[in-house]
Amino acid sequence: MASLVDQLSEVVGGAHVLTEADMVAPYCRDWTGRWGGPAAGVVRPASTAEVGAVLETCRRNGTPIVVQGGNTGLVGGGVPASATAERPGRPPLILSTTRMRGLEPVDTTCWQVTAGAGVTLAAVQEAAGASGLAFGVDLAARGSATIGGMVATNAGGIHVLRYGAMRQQVVGVEAVLGDGRVVSRLDGLLKDNSGYDLSQLMVGSEGTLGIITAARLRLLPASPERAVALLGVASTAEAVRALAELREMTEGLDAAEIFYQDGLDLVCRHFHLPPPLNTAFPVYLLVECAGRVRVADALVDALGVMGVDEHSTAIGVEPSSAARLWAYRELHTDAVASLGVPHKLDVSVRVDMLAELEQAVRRSVRRVAPEATLVMWGHVGDGNLHVNVIGPPAGDDTVDVAVLELAVSLGGSISAEHGIGRAKLAQLALVRSDDERSAMRSIKRALDPAGVLNPGVLLPA
Ligand code: FAD
Ligand code: 2HG
Ligand code: ZN
């Protein structure tokens, strides 16, 4: 019988089956460097039919598949399990969607676009912008993160408070299910109550139910005017209060982000940036308003009413000055990566509990990992803190468990936007009941009975 590589080469062409160690290696480790393991190889199909044929080949051979898009995920869901993890059976094949880059023309009547799974977020944003429209989700990994990966993780990002997460942008999905059936809802219907919404079932499924091959996405009118303000404040509680006031007084608030002096220092040091304000503050609130007219004036007026003084504020209206202010926030992930392999905890609580969460995380990390470096930032409007801890060995999850349990004890979630992946598999029971996890397993068995897709991601293998 022909080898797996020969069979796959038949399907996608030999050039798109990678088996040499140095070619395969970059696909085997995640962006953070914390997660990864060996793979049998990488296969790069270019169409839905090829994805179906690859899946069929793997099912016949009993080879598990790890689905990978841009490999910017932060919970280890798009890379193989580590060699030391319990991995019964053979190493998986990585199915990379990066050749599925078809982007249809923007539909300017329906304000929609159909994108192949491997199309990057930046490409969708660019295409929408060229048609006078915009896409509702934005995040710093825009140059690499793919639409398939963003749908599979229900990515959030910086505009959730105005436009929602990826789920809200998905009109329909095409996917090859684990058992080979194809679901395709790319017709662009805004109203369609004809049964279960299989597209939305794919959103947030982290590659465990099907391989997304394309998505029909909702677009928005572009906002020609944009204004950013960076406010230095005394505490997280004050940032939350300021945001509540701004929400009442401004229209078009589309981002509200928080970071702290230690994170800002790190960003400035690592990227050789001057501090944004003349005075240092414990906490920084970055807000952005976007719309058609008078956006900057309205934001400045609101800040005036709030009594914010110029020493504690920087305003960016021109695209370059707005981008300069955004950089202080967006460069946090890269700056932290320069310190070592981080433990990333992406937790959320109700917005009115955020200040308590922040303080409790500081106490908890000090207690369980006193030598560690702790850097936090997040999406304050969504009650979402990104807790990054550098110091403890990658395999030691003491600090992870402490922070996740803390978030749950405050009524929060162990995953605000990055997903469960492999990183938080053991903690899923903290937030999902026995009945819920059992229902999830039933869905998994119904769509992927052989358990070929992403075993050990989101649910135990
Ligand atoms: P991958 O990392 O390749 O995969 C992620 C998961 O999706 C895996 O489980 C994988 O198996 C699955 N998957 C991928 N493609 C498919 C497919 N076609 N079909 C089925 N399953 C698939 N995330 C946020 O939510 N908000 C942020 O603000 C944010 N900012 C980030 C900033 C930086 C600098 C970085 C590095 C990451 C950031 N992320 C953020 C995380 C990341 O960008 C998202 O999780 C992204 O959605 C993953 O897309 P990807 O193509 O890289 O997917
Ligand atoms: C962000 O909002 C991303 O910056 C990444 O979600 C968070 O790196 C992180 O911990
Ligand atoms: Zn985030």
Side-chain angles (χ1 to χ4, degrees):
M1 196 179 115
S3 71
L4 177 65
V5 171
D6 291 342
Q7 293 173 56
L8 293 169
S9 301
E10 262 313 81
V11 174
V12 297
H16 301 298
V17 184
L18 314 180
T19 51
E20 279 177 35
D22 56 343
M23 302 281 273
V24 173
Y27 295 84
C28 292
R29 185 127 307 264
D30 83 321
W31 194 93
T32 68
R34 188 173 180 199
W35 309 103
V42 177
V43 60
R44 300 187 301 194
S47 66
T48 302
E50 287 186 8
V51 168
V54 167
L55 189 71
E56 178 52 30
T57 307
C58 287
R59 281 194 315 146
R60 263 202 325 266
N61 284 272
T63 302
I65 291 177
V66 170
V67 192
Q68 189 177 101
N71 199 10
T72 67
L74 299 174
V75 289
V79 288
S82 76
T84 52
E86 264 184 53
R87 276 189 309 107
R90 47 181 83 184
L93 182 76
I94 297 174
L95 185 151
S96 166
T97 61
T98 46
R99 285 179 69 223
M100 306 190 68
R101 290 252 157 109
L103 186 57
E104 286 185 7
V106 169
D107 181 335
T108 51
T109 307
C110 298
W111 290 4
Q112 292 177 2
V113 69
T114 299
V119 173
T120 62
L121 169 59
V124 168
Q125 290 172 329
E126 199 179 312
S131 299
L133 296 170
F135 184 58
V137 171
D138 192 15
L139 44 83
R142 56 185 75 80
S144 310
T146 65
I147 292 303
M150 292 177 64
V151 172
T153 57
N154 187 24
I158 55 181
H159 292 151
V160 172
L161 89 168
R162 184 158 179 197
Y163 302 120
M166 203 59 192
R167 184 180 298 288
Q168 280 74 34
Q169 324 307 322
V170 170
V171 181
V173 156
E174 179 174 270
V176 181
L177 303 180
D179 61 8
R181 286 176 289 184
V182 176
V183 293
S184 186
R185 310 299 310 172
L186 301 177
D187 43 26
L189 291 182
L190 288 177
K191 299 186 84 173
D192 178 16
N193 276 349
S194 50
Y196 300 144
D197 191 334
L198 299 176
S199 297
Q200 287 294 334
L201 185 58
M202 290 298 131
V203 182
S205 62
E206 299 190 44
T208 61
L209 302 179
I211 302 169
I212 296 157
T213 54
R216 182 82 177 166
L217 302 170
R218 179 173 285 117
L219 300 175
L220 314 154
S223 298
E225 282 202 22
R226 201 163 280 277
V228 176
L230 181 69
L231 278 64
V233 294
S235 64
T236 302
E238 196 181 321
V240 170
R241 270 195 304 275
L243 173 60
E245 286 184 58
L246 278 167
R247 271 188 136 153
E248 270 192 15
M249 284 189 287
T250 54
E251 273 178 39
L253 188 74
D254 74 357
E257 304 284 309
I258 193 165
F259 50 91
Y260 298 86
Q261 184 62 48
D262 49 4
L264 176 65
D265 284 343
L266 177 65
V267 166
C268 290
R269 228 178 21 251
H270 188 68
F271 291 99
H272 309 291
L273 297 175
L277 304 174
N278 291 330
T279 318
F281 286 84
V283 184
Y284 294 85
L285 171 67
L286 183 146
V287 291
E288 180 184 85
C289 291
R292 285 182 192 276
V293 284
R294 277 206 79 247
V295 168
D297 292 349
L299 179 58
V300 170
D301 290 350
L303 294 173
V305 172
M306 287 163 63
V308 171
D309 75 83
E310 63 191 38
H311 303 293
S312 61
T313 318
I315 309 263
V317 177
E318 293 306 317
S320 59
S321 52
R324 194 179 62 79
L325 293 179
W326 263 114
Y328 293 108
R329 158 64 181 88
E330 287 207 323
L331 291 173
H332 270 67
T333 299
D334 287 281
V336 157
S338 73
L339 297 180
V341 174
H343 292 241
K344 285 188 176 292
L345 296 321
D346 159 41
V347 290
S348 67
V349 289
R350 262 181 17 207
V351 176
D352 58 356
M353 300 287 287
L354 197 70
E356 191 174 335
L357 175 69
E358 181 245 328
Q359 288 300 316
V361 167
R362 290 192 194 282
R363 284 194 299 273
S364 173
V365 172
R366 222 176 292 133
R367 195 179 61 248
V368 301
E371 307 294 319
T373 303
L374 167 66
V375 185
M376 287 195 274
W377 68 94
H379 313 283
V380 61
D382 312 329
N384 179 184
L385 264 195
H386 294 308
V387 178
N388 280 247
V389 183
I390 308 97
D396 176 354
D397 68 354
T398 313
V399 79
D400 307 49
V401 172
V403 172
L404 299 182
E405 286 183 348
L406 183 61
V408 174
S409 75
L410 296 175
S413 172
I414 62 168
S415 172
E417 56 175 10
H418 297 161
I420 296 297
R422 299 187 192 282
K424 299 169 188 173
L425 186 62
Q427 284 81 38
L428 188 61
L430 291 174
V431 283
R432 296 294 188 142
S433 68
D434 290 351
D435 281 352
E436 284 171 326
R437 282 179 289 120
S438 147
M440 284 163 129
R441 285 195 299 273
S442 300
I443 295 170
K444 167 79 174 168
R445 268 196 302 274
L447 303 190
D448 180 23
V452 72
L453 289 179
N454 277 8
V457 170
L458 179 56
L459 297 168

